[in-house]
Each structure stands twice: as C-alpha cells, then as structure tokens.
Amino acid sequence: TLYSLWVLVFPVSIIVVRCFQVKDYWIKLHQALNTTVAAVTIPMAATMTAFGNNQEDTVRIHLWVGMALSFTCLYLLCIGKILGHSLKREKVTDLTNLKRAHRWPGWVCWALSWVNCYYGLLAFNTDLIVYLILSYIFVLMIMGIFMIWFYFPNLKIFQWMRVS
C-alpha cells in the first residue's frame, strides 16, 4: 500500500502541480493526493516505530526513514495549507519564499520515499527490488515526458494532447 502511494500517487501529485496549473482543479487534486499519502503514511510509520525497534538494521533504517517522511509530510501539509490560503487572497504578495519552503522539502520527501521503499522491500522481500527499480525508471520517464511537455508544449510529439 505505502509502496504504491509513494511510487505512483505522490509523483502524480507533482505532475499535477507542475503541469496542470491552468486547470481549475489542480490545487484540490494536489491536496487530495498528498493528504491521502500522508493519512496512510503517518499512522503506519508511528505504529511501526512503536512496535518495531527490536528488528534488524534494515528494518530499523526503514522505520526511521519512515518517521522522517512522516514529519516531512506534516511540514508539507502545514506549509501547503498556508500557501493555499495565500493564493486565495485577492491581494497576493510575493510568495516566492513560501513556494520554495514547500517545493524543496517536497522533493526531499520524494527522494526519502524512494530510499524508504528500497529499504522496505530489502527488509521484507529482496526479490521485489527489480520491480522497484523498474517502477522508478517508469515514473521518471513519465515525469520526464510531462516536464518536456510543460516546457515545450508546441513540439510535434505533443500535438495529440492539444485541444483543437
């Protein structure tokens, strides 16, 4: 469950925020996806940390990275709420620093999640590491395609995505 949330749902929320800001629903979708990820991660990490300290090193690393992810999720949710309320105000001031305070920890959270997925699979089933690497490659390819589309929307390869 956590694996699919962090490897699939969280990157989709990044794609939504980076590429679909022209749509009316982008911020609500981004919030909903990230709240879902946090709502599952935080209680799971707290429970596993409370009951799993007498485990081997790989499991302990997985637990503590999970706790770091939980705290980062809480931080991102709080800063995201402040940023969301700031965007709704009629008189919008310069939000550059607030956006950076949300964006950079978001990337750190994503990197931590990949490390934690690796240690989780390593601790519980080493046969699945190949699938983890393949899913990372797949997610990076999809995100790369969306980022190219975002920065170069007039490329011939993206003509099918345009509304005519």
Side-chain angles (χ1 to χ4, degrees), residues 75 95-105:
Y75 168 81
L95 300 175
T96 305
N97 290 331
L98 194 56
K99 286 180 180 179
R100 283 186 190 135
H102 185 70
R103 183 181 305 131
W104 288 107

CSV table of all heavy atoms in Angstrom, one decimal, residues 75 95-105:
chain,number,residue,atom,x,y,z
A,75,TYR,N,5.0,18.8,7.8
A,75,TYR,CA,5.5,20.1,7.5
A,75,TYR,C,4.9,20.5,6.1
A,75,TYR,O,4.5,21.7,6.0
A,75,TYR,CB,7.0,20.0,7.4
A,75,TYR,CG,7.6,21.3,6.8
A,75,TYR,CD1,7.8,22.4,7.5
A,75,TYR,CD2,8.0,21.3,5.4
A,75,TYR,CE1,8.3,23.6,6.9
A,75,TYR,CE2,8.6,22.4,4.8
A,75,TYR,CZ,8.7,23.5,5.6
A,75,TYR,OH,9.2,24.7,5.0
A,95,LEU,N,5.1,35.4,-3.2
A,95,LEU,CA,5.1,34.1,-2.5
A,95,LEU,C,6.3,33.2,-2.8
A,95,LEU,O,6.2,32.0,-2.6
A,95,LEU,CB,3.8,33.3,-2.9
A,95,LEU,CG,2.5,34.0,-2.5
A,95,LEU,CD1,1.3,33.2,-3.0
A,95,LEU,CD2,2.4,34.2,-1.0
A,96,THR,N,7.3,33.8,-3.4
A,96,THR,CA,8.4,33.0,-3.9
A,96,THR,C,9.1,32.2,-2.7
A,96,THR,O,9.3,31.0,-2.9
A,96,THR,CB,9.5,34.0,-4.5
A,96,THR,OG1,8.9,34.7,-5.5
A,96,THR,CG2,10.7,33.2,-5.0
A,97,ASN,N,9.3,32.8,-1.6
A,97,ASN,CA,9.9,32.1,-0.5
A,97,ASN,C,9.0,31.0,0.1
A,97,ASN,O,9.5,30.0,0.5
A,97,ASN,CB,10.4,33.1,0.6
A,97,ASN,CG,11.6,33.9,0.2
A,97,ASN,OD1,12.4,33.5,-0.7
A,97,ASN,ND2,11.6,35.1,0.7
A,98,LEU,N,7.7,31.3,0.2
A,98,LEU,CA,6.8,30.3,0.7
A,98,LEU,C,6.7,29.1,-0.3
A,98,LEU,O,6.6,28.0,0.1
A,98,LEU,CB,5.4,31.0,0.8
A,98,LEU,CG,4.4,30.2,1.7
A,98,LEU,CD1,4.9,29.9,3.0
A,98,LEU,CD2,3.1,31.0,1.8
A,99,LYS,N,6.7,29.4,-1.6
A,99,LYS,CA,6.7,28.3,-2.6
A,99,LYS,C,8.0,27.5,-2.5
A,99,LYS,O,7.9,26.3,-2.6
A,99,LYS,CB,6.6,28.9,-4.0
A,99,LYS,CG,5.2,29.4,-4.3
A,99,LYS,CD,5.1,29.9,-5.7
A,99,LYS,CE,3.8,30.4,-6.1
A,99,LYS,NZ,3.7,31.0,-7.4
A,100,ARG,N,9.1,28.1,-2.3
A,100,ARG,CA,10.4,27.4,-2.1
A,100,ARG,C,10.3,26.6,-0.8
A,100,ARG,O,10.8,25.4,-0.8
A,100,ARG,CB,11.6,28.3,-2.0
A,100,ARG,CG,12.0,28.9,-3.4
A,100,ARG,CD,13.3,29.7,-3.2
A,100,ARG,NE,13.5,30.4,-4.5
A,100,ARG,CZ,13.9,31.6,-4.6
A,100,ARG,NH1,14.1,32.4,-3.5
A,100,ARG,NH2,14.1,32.2,-5.8
A,101,ALA,N,9.8,27.1,0.2
A,101,ALA,CA,9.7,26.4,1.5
A,101,ALA,C,8.7,25.2,1.4
A,101,ALA,O,8.8,24.3,2.2
A,101,ALA,CB,9.1,27.3,2.6
A,102,HIS,N,7.9,25.1,0.3
A,102,HIS,CA,7.1,24.0,0.1
A,102,HIS,C,7.7,23.0,-1.0
A,102,HIS,O,7.6,21.8,-0.8
A,102,HIS,CB,5.7,24.4,-0.4
A,102,HIS,CG,4.7,23.4,-0.5
A,102,HIS,ND1,4.1,22.7,0.5
A,102,HIS,CD2,4.1,22.8,-1.6
A,102,HIS,CE1,3.3,21.8,0.1
A,102,HIS,NE2,3.2,21.8,-1.2
A,103,ARG,N,8.3,23.6,-2.0
A,103,ARG,CA,8.8,22.8,-3.1
A,103,ARG,C,10.0,22.0,-2.7
A,103,ARG,O,10.0,20.8,-3.0
A,103,ARG,CB,9.1,23.7,-4.3
A,103,ARG,CG,9.6,23.0,-5.5
A,103,ARG,CD,9.9,23.9,-6.7
A,103,ARG,NE,8.8,24.8,-7.0
A,103,ARG,CZ,9.0,26.1,-7.2
A,103,ARG,NH1,10.1,26.7,-7.0
A,103,ARG,NH2,7.9,26.8,-7.5
A,104,TRP,N,11.0,22.6,-2.2
A,104,TRP,CA,12.2,21.9,-1.9
A,104,TRP,C,12.0,20.7,-0.9
A,104,TRP,O,12.5,19.6,-1.1
A,104,TRP,CB,13.3,22.8,-1.5
A,104,TRP,CG,13.8,23.6,-2.6
A,104,TRP,CD1,13.6,25.0,-2.9
A,104,TRP,CD2,14.5,23.2,-3.8
A,104,TRP,NE1,14.1,25.3,-4.1
A,104,TRP,CE2,14.7,24.3,-4.6
A,104,TRP,CE3,15.1,21.9,-4.1
A,104,TRP,CZ2,15.4,24.1,-5.8
A,104,TRP,CZ3,15.7,21.8,-5.3
A,104,TRP,CH2,15.9,22.9,-6.2
A,105,PRO,N,11.3,20.9,0.2
A,105,PRO,CA,11.1,19.8,1.1
A,105,PRO,C,10.2,18.7,0.4
A,105,PRO,O,10.3,17.5,0.7
A,105,PRO,CB,10.3,20.4,2.3
A,105,PRO,CG,10.8,21.8,2.3
A,105,PRO,CD,11.0,22.2,0.9
